Amino acid sequence: MKFATVILCAVLCVLVSGDLFSQDIHNKMMVLQNGKLLTITKGIVEKGSILIQDGKIVKVGKGIKVPAGAKIVNIAGKTVMPGIILAHSRAGTRAKEWDSNENGDPVMPELRIIDSINPQNSSLTWLRTGGITTILVAPESKKVVSGQCALIKPVQGTIEDMILKFPAAVQFSMGEEPKKVYQPKRVLPSSRMGISYLLRKTFTETEEYMEKWQKYKKDPKNSTQPERDEKYEILSRILEKKLPVILHANRSDDIMNAIRLSEKFGFKIILDHCTEGYMVADEIGKRRLPVIITNVGTMWKTWEKQNHKVENAEILRKNGALVAFQVGEGSPYPEKDLLLLASVSLKKGFPREEVLRAITINPAKMFGVEHRIGSIEEGKDADLVILDGDPLNIKTNIVSVIINGRIYSDSVIKEQKKQTYE
Amino acid sequence: MKKKIIYTYCFLLFFCNISAQQNNSIALKCGKLYPITGPVIDDGILLIKGSKIYAVGADISIPQNFRILDLSDKVVLPGLIDAHTHIGAISSRPLVVEYDANERTDIIEPQMRIIDAINIHDESFEKAVNAGVTTIINRPGSAALIDGQAVAMKTYGSKLADMIIKYPCDVKFALGMNPKVLFGQNKTRMGLAAILREALEKAKKYKEKWDKYKQNPEKNDKPDIDHELEPLKNLLEGKLPAHIHCARADDILFAIELAEEFNMDISLGHGYEAYKVADILAEKDIPVCIGPELLGWDQGKKGEIPVDLGGILARAGVRVSIQTDGIFQQNLWLQAAICVRNGMDFMDALKAITIHAAELGRIQDRVGSIEVGKDADLVVLNDTPLQPWTQVEMVFVDGRIVFEKK
């Protein structure tokens, strides 16, 4: 009897103290102990610990007292950074079937990308292996207004479990992309004039719609209730500055058109791609505009990206823009390796700490979720990446990814082991 | 008298010119030197004489007449090689009509020569040089089953003829989706295989005719030269290898089968599914050039490419090289870096953009490593190669400095 108890205890001990990284345990309380913490907003903490409770970061610092019942994860010699935010992607909407674009009218803000995201899509878990814990999923830029974007976390579950913020923004597009769709059909918009006109018309209609409702709300008894229109409902939230616009603009004139339009009607814009941004960097910089830059050039199939330069990110940052990175449509390089693709900007003088900010806190600020994600701070979501060295070094491996306090051990190394040819 | 003076002047000019070239004697004091084919040398000395590497090692005394270049805080590598590209034949500006990499008038067109389509003034060449890519293998294709003859060339030079290392270096074939769809006719793999075999059989007969004639030139009639069959005859005679574009594992196996049937020497391009047949490729020592897509999941267009394809193949013993397949030679570093990030050994990744790429083009006697007698094509870096922050400081082609960072 006694012997059996000893054996049982021994087995339990082995189970509990075993390699915790290899198990997917959703623990209510967990302490990551003695790691190098890159908090992003509050400097670097050497030999620091993080207390996680119910998916949130409760305490960050040195010598945290371990509460009773908390799971201890020793991360000595490891580096922890906040989960990476991919600021623009189509992940989850494409597999053999593509659901990232709806044909038809060039202005459709009523479309919702969450209706196209398949939580079972392998691209989501694949992005997670690269340390990406939040993704902005946007519809394609083939329309002038192509729909509402979502900020999601690649966790297991339904789309409701995944959503961090919806709608997070509305995707707009200027320049070549909508032209390519509507020009062959010989319908509006077939030129840059047409695109700008359509946007002016749409926003004027929205202003009228808002006026009608304001008038009605002032005196509901003596006026008839206007008809509700989903399209203008979304657009009025944009004009109320409650929802930002992600604006696909590559050429410098498209960028300036976008800025002009946003100032005329008063809405918040986030410049998407912004390829020729360096040509109008002072204009973007003095307005402190957020930009989501495609850092690495590939074989463009469009004219508007031909003046791509890696210097773009650094020039815009120096001028005052808030920089984030994306991988870009049709890139032959893995979107999951955003960390590495963003690091390429180091070659042109982009500072090291700014690279990390551009894939964490900067995009969090852009989408108004900096109270939830983007840094290692008390009260924020426990979205963390544990690495075995400097995140920007190519020889560094991602050991574990934590989302909402849950350890996902489908790390890069494990994936590789599975695929290694025996 | 006047004539004599002119002659003497001319002679002197000529002599000075030659001696200037021969006098290109430079000694590089390198902080770290990656010969690639040998172990890394710390504080190494590299001597350049003329256009070639004269000596390399840790304890080499610098002869008197050598100009010393102090690179003691720098890292020196052989010039990079992009194992498959189309620059100059495809304009670096998108959507322009200057697209000369595919003839597209016949599905079998080995008579096409990429050297007739290369615009060396395209800005891609300058970008390649500035990124340290000093050699490229420029190929036609891949719309047809047999696309034409490729060239191994330097990226720096004022005349194409001077830039060529080896022409032809191989004949480009394409299997699978591209010739099925891009050529404009809906063909099947069965149909493509039949056409390919027919062309090679024709070449075999053509070769036999020539063999017969050469055995007894006086008795037999001299056969007519057939431009289409001439390159294929070279293939069958083993004078030229075939470079075969393939994606699916069954296409790779078909390529191997065809090579054995017709006794051809082959290398493979793209090989997205090569991981499924890695042991066969290693056993038969068939070099594979991967890329440009290095995805683990690619939105369903080309199937599942393991993100560590390079690593899987290298660990199985396959000689792996990397290609940009296009106008962004500066991304060759990044592509190797992506491979390392996803599990490929660091030295394997360096080999993939130097010596293994040279071996794929059969030009390893000239370029691909820092060895005595090879061309003095070098890249000088300010830090460890492949790291995202590392910058190219200086580039040598044929012993001359062709790029220097300001």
Side-chain angles (χ1 to χ4, degrees), chain B residues 128-181:
Chain B
V129 171
N130 297 355
V133 179
T134 55
T135 297
I136 53 168
I137 300 171
N138 216 338
R139 293 197 180 90
S142 318
L145 257 175
I146 304 180
D147 303 283
Q149 300 159 64
V151 63
M153 64 186 287
K154 297 278 170 85
T155 47
Y156 183 85
S158 51
K159 272 202 336 253
L160 182 62
D162 298 341
M163 295 158 83
I164 290 174
I165 299 173
K166 191 180 180 190
Y167 173 80
C169 78
D170 50 41
V171 178
K172 171 77 188 294
F173 284 51
L175 299 174
M177 266 336 254
N178 271 6
K180 264 180 80 172
V181 179

Coordinates of all heavy atoms in Angstrom, one line a residue, chain B residues 128-181:
Chain B
A128 N 21.3 44.0 -58.5 CA 21.9 42.7 -58.2 C 23.3 42.9 -57.7 O 23.7 42.4 -56.6 CB 21.9 41.8 -59.4
V129 N 24.1 43.7 -58.4 CA 25.5 44.0 -58.1 C 25.5 44.6 -56.7 O 26.3 44.2 -55.8 CB 26.1 44.9 -59.1 CG1 27.5 45.4 -58.6 CG2 26.3 44.2 -60.4
N130 N 24.7 45.6 -56.5 CA 24.7 46.3 -55.2 C 24.3 45.5 -54.0 O 24.6 45.8 -52.9 CB 23.8 47.6 -55.2 CG 24.3 48.6 -56.3 OD1 25.3 48.4 -56.9 ND2 23.5 49.6 -56.5
A131 N 23.6 44.4 -54.3 CA 23.2 43.5 -53.2 C 24.2 42.4 -53.1 O 24.0 41.5 -52.2 CB 21.8 42.9 -53.5
G132 N 25.3 42.4 -53.9 CA 26.3 41.3 -53.7 C 26.0 40.1 -54.6 O 26.7 39.1 -54.4
V133 N 25.0 40.1 -55.4 CA 24.7 39.0 -56.3 C 25.5 39.2 -57.5 O 25.2 40.0 -58.4 CB 23.2 38.9 -56.6 CG1 23.0 37.7 -57.5 CG2 22.4 38.7 -55.3
T134 N 26.6 38.5 -57.6 CA 27.6 38.7 -58.7 C 27.4 37.8 -59.9 O 27.9 38.1 -61.0 CB 29.0 38.7 -58.2 OG1 29.2 37.4 -57.6 CG2 29.3 39.7 -57.2
T135 N 26.7 36.7 -59.7 CA 26.5 35.7 -60.8 C 25.0 35.3 -60.8 O 24.4 35.1 -59.7 CB 27.4 34.5 -60.6 OG1 28.7 34.8 -60.7 CG2 27.1 33.4 -61.6
I136 N 24.5 35.2 -62.0 CA 23.1 34.7 -62.1 C 23.1 33.6 -63.1 O 23.9 33.6 -64.0 CB 22.1 35.8 -62.5 CG1 22.6 36.5 -63.7 CG2 21.9 36.8 -61.3 CD1 21.5 37.4 -64.3
I137 N 22.1 32.7 -63.0 CA 21.8 31.8 -64.1 C 20.5 32.3 -64.7 O 19.5 32.3 -64.0 CB 21.8 30.3 -63.6 CG1 23.1 30.0 -63.0 CG2 21.5 29.4 -64.8 CD1 23.1 28.6 -62.3
N138 N 20.6 32.8 -65.9 CA 19.5 33.4 -66.5 C 18.9 32.4 -67.5 O 19.6 31.9 -68.4 CB 20.0 34.7 -67.3 CG 19.0 35.8 -67.2 OD1 17.8 35.5 -67.0 ND2 19.4 37.0 -67.4
R139 N 17.6 32.1 -67.3 CA 17.0 31.1 -68.2 C 15.7 31.6 -68.9 O 15.0 32.5 -68.3 CB 16.6 29.9 -67.3 CG 17.8 29.1 -66.7 CD 17.3 27.7 -66.3 NE 18.5 27.1 -65.7 CZ 18.8 27.1 -64.4 NH1 18.1 27.8 -63.6 NH2 19.9 26.4 -64.0
P140 N 15.4 31.0 -70.0 CA 14.1 31.3 -70.6 C 13.0 30.5 -69.9 O 13.3 29.6 -69.1 CB 14.3 30.8 -72.0 CG 15.3 29.7 -72.0 CD 16.2 30.1 -70.8
G141 N 11.8 30.8 -70.2 CA 10.7 29.9 -69.6 C 9.8 30.6 -68.7 O 9.9 31.8 -68.5
S142 N 8.8 29.8 -68.1 CA 8.6 28.4 -68.2 C 7.3 28.1 -68.8 O 6.5 27.3 -68.3 CB 8.7 27.7 -66.9 OG 9.7 28.2 -66.1
A143 N 7.0 28.7 -70.0 CA 5.6 28.4 -70.6 C 5.6 27.1 -71.4 O 4.6 26.4 -71.4 CB 5.2 29.6 -71.4
A144 N 6.7 26.8 -72.1 CA 6.8 25.7 -73.0 C 7.4 24.5 -72.3 O 8.0 24.6 -71.2 CB 7.5 26.0 -74.2
L145 N 7.2 23.3 -72.9 CA 7.8 22.1 -72.4 C 9.3 22.2 -72.4 O 10.0 21.8 -71.5 CB 7.4 20.9 -73.3 CG 6.3 20.0 -72.7 CD1 5.9 19.0 -73.8 CD2 6.7 19.4 -71.4
I146 N 9.9 22.6 -73.6 CA 11.3 22.9 -73.6 C 11.4 24.4 -74.0 O 10.9 24.8 -75.1 CB 12.1 22.0 -74.6 CG1 11.8 20.5 -74.3 CG2 13.5 22.3 -74.7 CD1 12.5 19.6 -75.2
D147 N 12.0 25.2 -73.2 CA 12.0 26.7 -73.3 C 13.2 27.3 -74.0 O 13.1 28.4 -74.5 CB 11.8 27.3 -72.0 CG 10.6 26.8 -71.2 OD1 9.5 27.3 -71.5 OD2 10.8 26.0 -70.3
G148 N 14.3 26.6 -74.0 CA 15.5 27.2 -74.7 C 16.7 27.0 -73.8 O 16.7 26.3 -72.8
Q149 N 17.8 27.7 -74.3 CA 19.1 27.5 -73.6 C 19.4 28.6 -72.7 O 19.2 29.8 -73.0 CB 20.2 27.4 -74.7 CG 19.9 26.2 -75.7 CD 20.6 26.5 -77.0 OE1 21.9 26.5 -77.0 NE2 19.9 26.6 -78.0
A150 N 20.0 28.3 -71.5 CA 20.2 29.2 -70.5 C 21.7 29.7 -70.5 O 22.5 29.1 -71.1 CB 19.9 28.6 -69.1
V151 N 22.0 30.7 -69.7 CA 23.3 31.2 -69.6 C 23.7 31.5 -68.2 O 22.9 31.9 -67.4 CB 23.5 32.5 -70.4 CG1 22.6 33.7 -69.9 CG2 24.9 33.0 -70.5
A152 N 24.9 31.2 -67.8 CA 25.5 31.6 -66.5 C 26.3 32.8 -66.8 O 27.2 32.8 -67.6 CB 26.3 30.5 -65.9
M153 N 26.0 33.9 -66.1 CA 26.7 35.2 -66.4 C 26.9 36.0 -65.1 O 26.3 35.8 -64.1 CB 25.8 36.0 -67.4 CG 24.5 36.4 -66.8 SD 23.4 37.2 -68.0 CE 24.1 38.8 -68.2
K154 N 27.9 36.9 -65.3 CA 28.1 37.9 -64.2 C 27.0 39.0 -64.3 O 26.5 39.2 -65.4 CB 29.5 38.5 -64.4 CG 30.6 37.5 -64.2 CD 31.0 37.3 -62.8 CE 32.0 36.1 -62.7 NZ 33.4 36.5 -62.8
T155 N 26.8 39.7 -63.2 CA 25.8 40.8 -63.2 C 26.5 42.1 -63.6 O 25.8 43.1 -63.8 CB 25.1 40.9 -61.9 OG1 26.1 40.9 -60.9 CG2 24.1 39.7 -61.7
Y156 N 27.8 42.2 -63.5 CA 28.5 43.4 -63.8 C 29.2 43.3 -65.1 O 29.9 42.4 -65.4 CB 29.5 43.8 -62.7 CG 30.1 45.1 -62.9 CD1 29.5 46.3 -62.5 CD2 31.4 45.2 -63.5 CE1 30.1 47.6 -62.7 CE2 31.9 46.5 -63.8 CZ 31.3 47.6 -63.3 OH 31.9 48.8 -63.6
G157 N 29.1 44.4 -66.0 CA 29.8 44.4 -67.2 C 29.2 45.4 -68.2 O 28.1 45.8 -68.0
S158 N 29.9 45.7 -69.2 CA 29.4 46.7 -70.2 C 29.0 46.0 -71.5 O 28.3 46.6 -72.3 CB 30.4 47.8 -70.4 OG 31.6 47.2 -70.8
K159 N 29.4 44.7 -71.6 CA 29.0 44.0 -72.8 C 28.6 42.6 -72.4 O 29.2 42.0 -71.5 CB 30.2 43.9 -73.8 CG 30.3 45.0 -74.7 CD 31.1 44.7 -76.0 CE 32.1 43.7 -76.0 NZ 33.5 44.2 -76.0
L160 N 27.5 42.1 -73.0 CA 27.0 40.8 -72.6 C 28.1 39.7 -72.8 O 28.3 38.8 -72.0 CB 25.7 40.4 -73.4 CG 25.1 39.1 -73.1 CD1 24.6 39.0 -71.7 CD2 23.9 38.8 -74.0
A161 N 28.8 39.8 -73.9 CA 29.8 38.8 -74.2 C 30.9 38.7 -73.1 O 31.4 37.6 -72.8 CB 30.5 39.2 -75.6
D162 N 31.2 39.9 -72.5 CA 32.2 39.9 -71.4 C 31.6 39.3 -70.1 O 32.4 38.9 -69.3 CB 32.7 41.3 -71.2 CG 33.4 41.9 -72.4 OD1 33.8 41.1 -73.2 OD2 33.5 43.1 -72.4
M163 N 30.3 39.4 -70.0 CA 29.7 38.9 -68.7 C 29.5 37.4 -68.7 O 29.3 36.9 -67.6 CB 28.4 39.7 -68.5 CG 28.6 41.2 -68.4 SD 27.1 42.1 -68.8 CE 26.1 42.0 -67.3
I164 N 29.4 36.8 -69.8 CA 29.1 35.4 -69.9 C 30.2 34.5 -69.2 O 31.3 34.6 -69.5 CB 28.8 34.9 -71.3 CG1 27.5 35.6 -71.8 CG2 28.7 33.4 -71.4 CD1 27.2 35.3 -73.3
I165 N 29.7 33.6 -68.3 CA 30.6 32.6 -67.7 C 30.6 31.4 -68.5 O 31.6 30.8 -68.9 CB 30.3 32.3 -66.3 CG1 30.4 33.6 -65.4 CG2 31.2 31.2 -65.7 CD1 29.9 33.4 -64.0
K166 N 29.3 31.0 -68.8 CA 29.1 29.7 -69.6 C 27.9 29.8 -70.4 O 26.8 30.1 -69.8 CB 29.1 28.5 -68.6 CG 29.2 27.2 -69.3 CD 29.1 26.1 -68.3 CE 29.1 24.7 -69.0 NZ 28.8 23.7 -68.0
Y167 N 28.0 29.6 -71.7 CA 26.8 29.6 -72.5 C 27.0 28.5 -73.6 O 28.0 28.4 -74.2 CB 26.5 30.9 -73.2 CG 25.4 30.7 -74.2 CD1 24.1 30.7 -73.7 CD2 25.6 30.3 -75.5 CE1 23.0 30.4 -74.6 CE2 24.5 30.0 -76.4 CZ 23.3 30.1 -75.9 OH 22.2 29.8 -76.7
P168 N 26.0 27.6 -73.8 CA 24.8 27.4 -72.9 C 25.2 26.7 -71.7 O 26.1 25.9 -71.7 CB 23.9 26.6 -73.8 CG 24.8 25.9 -74.7 CD 26.0 26.7 -75.0
C169 N 24.6 27.0 -70.6 CA 24.9 26.2 -69.4 C 23.9 25.1 -69.1 O 24.2 24.1 -68.5 CB 25.1 27.1 -68.2 SG 23.6 27.7 -67.4
D170 N 22.7 25.3 -69.6 CA 21.8 24.1 -69.6 C 20.6 24.4 -70.5 O 20.5 25.5 -71.0 CB 21.3 23.7 -68.2 CG 20.8 24.8 -67.3 OD1 20.1 25.7 -67.9 OD2 21.1 24.8 -66.1
V171 N 19.7 23.4 -70.7 CA 18.5 23.6 -71.5 C 17.4 23.5 -70.5 O 17.3 22.6 -69.7 CB 18.4 22.5 -72.6 CG1 17.1 22.7 -73.3 CG2 19.5 22.5 -73.5
K172 N 16.5 24.5 -70.7 CA 15.4 24.6 -69.7 C 14.2 23.8 -70.1 O 13.7 24.0 -71.3 CB 15.0 26.1 -69.5 CG 13.8 26.4 -68.7 CD 14.0 26.2 -67.2 CE 12.7 26.4 -66.5 NZ 12.1 27.7 -66.6
F173 N 13.7 22.9 -69.3 CA 12.4 22.2 -69.5 C 11.4 22.7 -68.4 O 11.8 23.2 -67.4 CB 12.7 20.7 -69.2 CG 13.4 19.9 -70.3 CD1 14.6 20.4 -70.8 CD2 12.9 18.8 -70.8 CE1 15.3 19.7 -71.8 CE2 13.6 18.0 -71.8 CZ 14.8 18.5 -72.3
A174 N 10.1 22.5 -68.7 CA 9.1 22.7 -67.7 C 8.1 21.6 -67.7 O 7.6 21.3 -68.8 CB 8.5 24.1 -68.0
L175 N 7.7 21.1 -66.6 CA 6.7 20.1 -66.5 C 5.5 20.6 -65.7 O 5.6 21.6 -64.9 CB 7.3 18.8 -65.8 CG 8.5 18.2 -66.5 CD1 9.0 17.1 -65.6 CD2 8.1 17.6 -67.8
G176 N 4.4 19.9 -65.8 CA 3.3 20.2 -65.0 C 2.4 21.4 -65.4 O 2.2 21.6 -66.6
M177 N 2.0 22.2 -64.4 CA 1.0 23.2 -64.6 C 1.4 24.2 -65.7 O 0.5 24.6 -66.6 CB 0.8 24.0 -63.3 CG -0.4 23.5 -62.5 SD -1.7 22.6 -63.4 CE -2.9 23.9 -63.4
N178 N 2.6 24.7 -65.7 CA 2.9 25.8 -66.7 C 2.7 25.4 -68.1 O 1.9 26.1 -68.8 CB 4.4 26.3 -66.5 CG 4.4 27.4 -65.4 OD1 3.4 27.7 -64.8 ND2 5.6 28.0 -65.3
P179 N 3.3 24.4 -68.6 CA 3.0 24.0 -70.0 C 1.6 23.5 -70.3 O 1.1 23.7 -71.4 CB 4.1 22.9 -70.4 CG 4.5 22.4 -69.1 CD 4.4 23.5 -68.1
K180 N 1.0 23.0 -69.2 CA -0.4 22.6 -69.4 C -1.3 23.8 -69.6 O -2.2 23.7 -70.5 CB -0.9 21.9 -68.0 CG -0.8 20.4 -68.1 CD -1.3 19.8 -66.8 CE -2.8 19.7 -66.7 NZ -3.2 19.0 -65.5
V181 N -1.1 24.9 -68.9 CA -2.0 26.0 -68.9 C -1.5 27.2 -69.6 O -2.1 27.8 -70.5 CB -2.5 26.4 -67.5 CG1 -3.4 27.5 -67.5 CG2 -3.1 25.2 -66.8

